[in-house]
Amino acid sequence: MDVKTINNFLITFGEQVLVALIILVVGFRLIKAMTNYFEKALDKKDVDPSLKPFLSSVVGWFLKAAVFIAAANTVGIKTTSFIAILGTVGLAVGLSLQGSLSNFAGGVLILLLKPFKVGDAIKAQGFTGKVEKITAFSTFLKTPDNQVICLPNGSLANAPIVNINQESTRRVDLTFGIGYEDDIATAKKTLSDLFAADIRVLKDPELVIVVGELADSSVNLYVRAWVKSEDYWGVYFDSLEKVKNAFDEKSISIPFPQTDIHVHPTAFQ
């Protein structure tokens, strides 16, 4: 290439090339500043540390692609076909990895929205357990009998989730049946004294004991006691034994289902 050709090229395209270089230099500096600001915003939102580098890199690559396209357009390079090819490739990859991408998107939502965190006990997808680990694609639960359940984040993020111990307190709901011949006031007083003596039962909200149902074989008393979340199962199981012993001492019966059969004489007897 001779000097005349170079001069002609510079005269024709020099300004566009210079503008494209300026766009690249200024654009990359702006991208660096924007990604830094984005990372600080994630810190304020208390986003999971394992998710921050990924989100920052995704934002950075999208911005860099936009800068490259702007610079290419400046020097007259047709980017329409290039964008169409990228779109087609992206669609093909997305369809082939549909399940994995769904799980990944679910993992991002879980880490961002935090419906639960590591250490929480949850009910989801028919399983109950303590959250042991949250990865980009799966969440791992450990059940009370020490089994490990791996749940895909895609289905987990799009279905109801019960976070059992997110709150600091829980209500223990118990039902105790007494016989129709037993004194309701005595039974309620016995239950009230028993739960009031348990230091794990909170005073506020106050204990509730009511007649909840007149069943076929029993009068059912509903007990609603508030406790700290970590005391829930201890109070639940201890109360069953204590109430049984207390009712026995007070001669309060705990009826079991029964059926009365009446036989009538017929003409064939």
Side-chain angles (χ1 to χ4, degrees):
M1 183 179 295
D2 56 19
V3 176
K4 184 178 180 180
T5 304
I6 295 175
N7 288 336
N8 290 335
F9 176 81
L10 291 175
I11 292 172
T12 306
F13 299 103
E15 184 178 350
Q16 291 92 329
V17 172
L18 180 61
V19 172
L21 290 174
I22 293 174
I23 290 175
L24 289 174
V25 173
V26 175
F28 282 177
R29 289 187 177 181
L30 287 174
I31 289 171
K32 185 175 181 180
M34 292 175 69
T35 52
N36 289 337
Y37 178 80
F38 182 69
E39 289 175 357
K40 291 179 181 178
L42 292 179
D43 290 334
K44 292 180 180 179
K45 293 293 184 179
D46 194 27
V47 176
D48 191 272
S50 62
L51 192 60
K52 293 176 184 177
F54 168 76
L55 293 177
S56 179
S57 63
V58 168
V59 171
W61 280 111
F62 271 111
L63 293 175
K64 287 177 182 177
V67 169
F68 273 117
I69 291 173
N73 280 327
T74 301
V75 296
I77 299 175
K78 301 297 182 181
T79 57
T80 306
S81 300
F82 177 69
I83 294 174
I85 293 172
L86 284 180
T88 303
V89 172
L91 179 61
V93 173
L95 290 174
S96 62
L97 299 176
Q98 185 175 4
S100 297
L101 291 176
S102 173
N103 289 332
F104 181 79
V108 172
L109 288 174
I110 290 171
L111 292 171
L112 282 175
L113 302 179
K114 295 184 179 295
F116 57 84
K117 62 182 183 299
V118 173
D120 285 348
I122 67 170
K123 293 180 181 179
Q125 303 293 304
F127 298 99
T128 301
K130 181 180 179 182
V131 179
E132 290 289 305
K133 182 170 61 174
I134 305 172
T135 68
F137 295 94
S138 305
T139 294
F140 294 84
L141 303 183
K142 181 174 285 188
T143 63
D145 58 348
N146 210 34
Q147 298 183 69
V148 176
I149 308 295
C150 177
L151 299 177
N153 286 336
S155 57
L156 194 60
N158 291 284
I161 300 171
V162 177
N163 193 321
I164 297 173
N165 59 352
Q166 185 175 21
E167 300 295 332
S168 59
T169 59
R170 289 184 65 187
R171 193 179 74 181
V172 180
D173 294 353
L174 292 167
T175 300
F176 299 101
I178 63 174
Y180 274 92
E181 69 280 1
D182 293 311
D183 183 64
I184 294 177
T186 301
K188 291 176 69 175
K189 179 68 165 54
T190 302
L191 291 172
S192 178
D193 292 344
L194 188 149
F195 280 90
D198 193 331
I199 62 174
R200 296 170 297 180
V201 176
L202 302 177
K203 306 302 180 184
D204 184 26
E206 64 181 10
L207 176 70
V208 174
I209 303 173
V210 296
V211 176
E213 182 183 12
L214 299 177
D216 293 337
S217 304
S218 63
V219 177
N220 291 334
L221 303 179
Y222 290 175
V223 177
R224 304 293 182 257
W226 286 87
V227 299
K228 293 181 178 179
S229 294
E230 60 267 24
D231 292 332
Y232 179 87
W233 288 112
V235 171
Y236 183 94
F237 290 122
D238 289 348
S239 298
L240 296 178
E241 181 178 351
K242 291 178 180 178
V243 170
K244 173 62 168 65
N245 293 334
F247 278 8
D248 287 346
E249 291 177 4
K250 298 292 182 65
S251 298
I252 300 173
S253 62
I254 300 179
F256 51 85
Q258 55 187 347
T259 302
D260 293 334
I261 299 176
H262 301 274
V263 180
H264 298 279
T266 66
F268 297 101
Q269 288 183 326

